Amino acid sequence: MTSSEPATDTPLEADTTPIEPTYTEESEADEDPYATDPETESGDEGVSEDTSGVPHGEWSGTAQVTVDFADPGCAADSRSYTLPATLIIDEPVGTEGNSFHLSWASDDQTADGAFGVTSAQSGTDTVDGESVEIAYWSLSDDGDGSFSGQLTDTAAAAGASLNLLFVPKPLFQCGTYTSFPYGMNTDTTIEGSITDGSASVTLSGTTVDGTRSFRVEWS
């Protein structure tokens, strides 16, 4: 912000007192401890940290997915999966109100137990060219790398569900099961702790139709 000097009265006589120049010392910007690109234990690079306190970067690991379900008239069942997954923490997108953007998904989006989580999306509708801004998650952090959040908008009504879990669905009652993308319900929560070298994340909730409960863990 630029400020103007206050107006002064015009002197009647010239002031012969020599004016000594004044200097303003410019302060250097605080050094960002994450300005370099250190390699993490898992070989991840490009980790940085913003004012939210959550390090930014990309982490790769293995997610443990557990799904419990009981379709009408069928016995209760439980399935477990182990899938490689990638977590990305970055700057908020578009009008996202969170202090950081989160994306966490299994590397294979076609496998049984595949999942995808994204905190918000910002883009342009390819049909009408209108701007698309959807905030799926409300996230908060403690300023020291730990965070938590809740899914607040499934965007199912708009046909823009991006928080999905691919789990078994019967082709006929209690019959052959095949993987099907179920939307995560708004009772779904996430919590985690991130450092520049590691990340632990837990996702738990139910599907929109209420027939499946799930838990995804990564540490």
Side-chain angles (χ1 to χ4, degrees):
M1 179 176 67
T2 303
S3 60
S4 59
E5 297 182 359
T8 58
D9 294 334
T10 303
L12 297 178
E13 296 181 2
D15 188 352
T16 58
T17 304
I19 299 176
E20 296 184 2
T22 58
Y23 302 91
T24 301
E25 183 178 353
E26 294 183 359
S27 60
E28 296 184 357
D30 294 336
E31 183 178 353
D32 183 357
Y34 297 93
T36 58
D37 294 330
E39 287 195 9
T40 67
E41 295 177 1
S42 59
D44 304 301
E45 299 183 358
V47 177
S48 62
E49 184 176 356
D50 75 341
T51 55
S52 71
V54 178
H56 290 185
E58 181 176 320
W59 294 261
S60 297
T62 302
Q64 306 293 329
V65 182
T66 303
V67 183
D68 298 314
F69 56 95
D71 292 299
C74 304
D77 201 351
S78 180
R79 305 285 176 91
S80 296
Y81 311 94
T82 300
L83 298 170
T86 300
L87 171 71
I88 300 174
I89 302 294
D90 208 342
E91 294 294 331
V93 298
T95 59
E96 182 175 5
N98 299 314
S99 59
F100 60 94
H101 178 75
L102 180 149
S103 175
W104 186 33
S106 57
D107 296 343
D108 185 350
Q109 285 292 293
T110 62
D112 291 348
F115 67 94
V117 174
T118 186
S119 60
Q121 73 159 314
S122 175
T124 303
D125 191 312
T126 57
V127 177
D128 57 20
E130 295 293 326
S131 175
V132 176
E133 301 283 345
I134 302 176
Y136 297 101
W137 287 80
S138 175
L139 302 171
S140 61
D141 70 273
D142 67 355
D144 196 30
S146 295
F147 68 90
S148 61
Q150 181 168 351
L151 183 63
T152 56
D153 187 357
T154 65
S161 299
L162 289 183
N163 293 272
L164 303 171
L165 182 71
F166 290 77
V167 292
K169 178 180 182 179
L171 295 178
F172 50 89
Q173 187 175 20
C174 307
T176 302
Y177 284 83
T178 186
S179 282
F180 183 82
Y182 284 82
M184 300 177 188
N185 202 11
T186 52
D187 64 351
T188 301
T189 60
I190 193 170
E191 60 181 11
S193 179
I194 301 176
T195 68
D196 58 353
S198 65
S200 62
V201 186
T202 300
L203 173 77
S204 60
T206 62
T207 55
V208 171
D209 66 353
T211 63
R212 276 119 177 92
S213 61
F214 59 88
R215 186 176 181 87
V216 184
E217 295 180 290
W218 186 22
S219 61

